[in-house]
Amino acid sequence: RALVKVRTECNKVMTLPLFQTDIFKTSVLVDFQRLQSEAAKFAAQTLKRGWFDAIRMAVLGELTGSASPQLDPEMPDRDFYENSKLKRVLLKVNYMMEFTIRSLTESALQQYTQFMKEVTCYDVTVLDTKNIDFVYKHPTMPHITERTPLFSVEIQLIDGRFAYNTSPDAFEQGPVSHFDDALHQLHDIPQLEPSVMQKLYLGKRRHLASVQES
């Protein structure tokens, strides 16, 4: 029953957003960066605290009071533990948690990629210094012909020359860097085993394997 409860907790976080993609108004790049950073931090804290604690309580709740010495989290002998049923259970929980993180990450990447495709599908033609022609073409739904631009930019006089107040390169580098930042946030989610078997691990921490940023 412990594994069933773990699976339930894993399913609960599968819809946890790593990125903010529910954006329908124009903003400056710095505000977009703040939204993405906050979304990644919130997701990471939810996984490291709420999710981890819920799984820990689910497992300990089933183990407490077990009549089988093979499932006793208080067992002091490491050799006995390494060949016990509890070791196999915790190893499976570890795999389930890592699979959840990978699946969540892949789903978030697909959603974020689709979002960026949808908000950048413009054909832009500069006619002259005062006129610009732009046409929106949704990548999968051609009947959608309008969408609010994601970013706004201004032209300023800088050192005697007109220039954008935000570098055009930043609009390419910024959205990509947020994905790497989100992956980094997920690096130190703890494994359950040391928390359950505290007498054997004596405060040592191990972390779940996660997708690495490029």
Side-chain angles (χ1 to χ4, degrees):
R1 290 191 300 175
L3 295 180
V4 173
K5 292 183 177 181
V6 170
R7 172 51 57 198
T8 299
E9 296 300 330
C10 289
N11 289 338
K12 288 180 181 179
V13 299
M14 283 304 299
T15 57
L16 185 67
L18 291 181
F19 306 99
Q20 175 60 264
T21 57
D22 188 21
I23 302 175
F24 298 98
K25 66 178 183 179
T26 302
S27 64
V28 295
L29 181 60
V30 66
D31 288 340
F32 175 81
Q33 293 174 319
R34 176 181 53 80
L35 286 174
Q36 301 308 325
S37 178
E38 289 176 353
K41 289 179 180 178
F42 175 79
Q45 290 302 316
T46 299
L47 293 171
K48 294 173 185 178
R49 296 180 181 176
W51 182 54
F52 176 82
D53 289 343
I55 289 179
R56 182 175 183 274
M57 293 302 297
V59 172
L60 285 176
E62 293 297 324
L63 296 178
T64 302
S66 174
S68 173
Q70 287 272 328
L71 294 173
D72 182 10
E74 298 296 325
M75 63 178 76
D77 186 83
R78 176 170 294 273
D79 290 336
F80 182 77
Y81 167 68
E82 291 296 332
N83 295 285
S84 69
K85 183 178 180 181
L86 180 55
K87 173 69 176 183
R88 296 191 295 272
V89 169
L90 294 179
L91 185 61
K92 189 166 185 177
V93 170
N94 182 68
Y95 290 147
M96 292 169 68
M97 294 177 72
E98 290 180 346
F99 178 79
T100 298
I101 293 174
R102 175 171 290 277
S103 298
L104 172 64
T105 303
E106 291 176 350
S107 176
L109 172 59
Q110 293 173 359
Q111 183 180 17
Y112 187 61
T113 301
Q114 181 63 27
F115 166 73
M116 294 307 301
K117 287 181 179 179
E118 291 179 4
V119 298
T120 57
C121 283
Y122 288 91
D123 287 338
V124 181
T125 303
V126 179
L127 302 176
D128 52 47
T129 56
K130 295 184 179 180
N131 297 287
I132 298 177
D133 182 43
F134 61 92
V135 178
Y136 178 72
K137 297 181 179 179
H138 194 282
T140 58
M141 293 180 283
H143 63 279
I144 299 179
T145 58
E146 293 184 0
R147 196 191 196 288
T148 303
L150 179 61
F151 297 122
S152 64
V153 64
E154 295 180 358
I155 296 179
Q156 296 179 338
L157 186 63
I158 302 176
D159 296 330
R161 300 178 60 184
F162 287 105
Y164 293 116
N165 63 341
T166 301
S167 168
D169 291 340
F171 291 106
E172 295 183 11
Q173 299 167 358
V176 174
S177 67
H178 289 304
F179 184 70
D180 287 344
D181 178 63
L183 294 183
H184 182 75
Q185 295 277 355
L186 303 182
H187 280 186
D188 54 350
I189 299 175
Q191 289 185 4
L192 184 66
E193 187 178 26
S195 180
V196 172
M197 307 303 298
Q198 295 183 10
K199 288 188 176 181
L200 297 182
Y201 283 88
L202 298 176
K204 295 180 180 178
R205 298 190 65 184
R206 294 180 179 179
H207 298 118
L208 297 170
S210 60
V211 179
Q212 302 296 306
E213 65 267 34
S214 58

